[in-house]
Amino acid sequence: MFQPENMSCYHLHIMRMPDHCPITAYGFGYDSVSDDYKLILVDEISKFHNVVCVYSMKRNEWVRSWMFSNLIPNLSGVVVKGFVNWVYRKEGKIVAFDLDTEEFRLVPLPNRRRHEYESASDVTVDVLRGCLLMIIPSEREIEMWVMKDYMVKESWTKLYTISRRRSFICPINSNEFLIRSPIGYDYIGLYRYNPVTREEIDVHSNAVNGQTYDTLTVVFVESLVQIRKLMGAGGRPRVRQGKPIGYIK
């Protein structure tokens, strides 16, 4: 774990996983009910059989549970209202993990018309002003939807639609987003983009030269609380078996 404010690193003992089980999703968040920070790892074993491992910093303990579901989240999750949220890329659904009850739920999706060339695998989620943000690309445009009241389907609101020639990376503030956009044939630039004024401010015009690449961003909340003080008992963490997790509803 890395804390940017004081440039400190802390090593966590990760549970040993079977060699054939790559980590497909991970998330980290604060459980306000138990005043605990938790790390979640999801490992895919088969199409309908997976392992979910939850680490409690306060207890210095891993809980490993079998998960019987075909809704496997993907990559890094974002935290909203005590839930870690991922996109299930095969269907474009949003899977949420309750940091308090340590259970999975499906987040209701907005009522919207699907575009002809829309791909569920390109849908991503982020956080904007403390609300869940859903980014939905199609062939020609990118829609940005925000869920103003978490878990309330009717609260989904479409904020912006931008050209597909731009690729969304992450929010910078309430009115600006970090995007990447092509420059000629060989170059890709990074920009601060305002979807209302459509103004682009150059961040790095020569970010990549003629290369195919992926961009991963991590948004963190500034805090002066030292991670070491949040950790409970020292030494190697305990490991125990949790209850099976059924199909996500």
Side-chain angles (χ1 to χ4, degrees):
M1 296 180 63
F2 174 64
Q3 189 168 17
E5 288 83 1
N6 53 25
M7 302 298 289
S8 300
C9 291
Y10 303 90
H11 179 263
L12 295 178
H13 295 278
I14 302 297
M15 279 185 54
R16 181 176 177 82
M17 304 296 179
D19 294 336
H20 64 283
C21 299
I23 294 177
T24 59
Y26 55 92
F28 180 79
Y30 175 65
D31 175 12
S32 61
V33 177
S34 60
D35 188 27
D36 192 6
Y37 285 84
K38 296 178 180 179
L39 172 67
I40 304 97
L41 303 178
V42 181
D43 302 302
E44 184 175 5
I45 294 180
S46 66
K47 185 176 181 180
F48 297 100
H49 194 189
N50 310 280
V51 174
V52 178
C53 301
V54 180
Y55 174 73
S56 162
M57 291 184 64
K58 190 174 184 179
R59 302 192 306 269
N60 191 28
E61 177 185 69
W62 281 101
V63 178
R64 178 172 55 190
S65 303
W66 297 110
M67 179 180 178
F68 302 95
S69 177
N70 64 338
L71 290 179
I72 309 305
N74 192 284
L75 299 179
S76 175
V78 298
V79 179
V80 177
K81 304 296 184 183
F83 286 79
V84 182
N85 299 265
W86 298 272
V87 173
Y88 173 58
R89 292 180 179 268
K90 291 183 179 180
E91 298 181 15
K93 295 181 178 180
I94 302 177
V95 181
F97 179 83
D98 189 331
L99 289 164
D100 173 28
T101 63
E102 300 187 359
E103 296 176 340
F104 285 91
R105 293 177 59 184
L106 284 178
V107 178
L109 299 179
N111 289 323
R112 54 179 298 277
R113 182 179 177 182
R114 290 180 59 91
H115 292 277
E116 182 179 358
Y117 297 101
E118 189 174 302
S119 173
S121 63
D122 294 330
V123 176
T124 58
V125 290
D126 216 306
V127 181
L128 181 65
R129 299 191 293 267
C131 298
L132 185 63
L133 177 70
M134 189 176 187
I135 301 94
I136 310 173
S138 61
E139 184 184 38
R140 296 183 178 179
E141 61 185 23
I142 299 174
E143 292 182 4
M144 298 182 183
W145 290 73
V146 66
M147 193 180 216
K148 295 183 177 180
D149 294 320
Y150 189 66
M151 286 293 180
V152 178
K153 181 181 179 68
E154 293 75 20
S155 71
W156 279 110
T157 303
K158 184 164 71 169
L159 290 181
Y160 308 112
T161 300
I162 66 175
S163 169
R164 188 65 173 92
R165 65 180 290 270
R166 303 177 178 92
S167 297
F168 174 89
I169 297 180
C170 69
I172 297 176
N173 53 47
S174 299
N175 301 312
E176 289 185 307
F177 301 89
L178 183 64
I179 64 170
R180 58 176 179 249
S181 185
I183 307 172
Y185 180 76
D186 289 332
Y187 291 87
I188 295 176
L190 297 179
Y191 296 91
R192 297 170 67 107
Y193 178 70
N194 187 316
V196 177
T197 64
R198 299 186 179 181
E199 180 184 13
E200 292 184 358
I201 300 175
D202 187 1
V203 175
H204 196 338
S205 295
N206 299 321
V208 176
N209 183 1
Q211 299 292 326
T212 300
Y213 75 106
D214 293 322
T215 301
L216 175 64
T217 59
V218 178
V219 179
F220 70 95
V221 178
E222 293 182 339
S223 174
L224 297 178
V225 178
Q226 296 185 12
I227 295 178
R228 191 180 302 276
K229 293 183 179 180
L230 301 175
M231 304 183 74
R236 297 191 67 85
R238 299 181 299 274
V239 178
R240 66 179 177 88
Q241 189 68 38
K243 61 182 181 180
I245 301 172
Y247 280 86
I248 303 172
K249 300 180 180 179

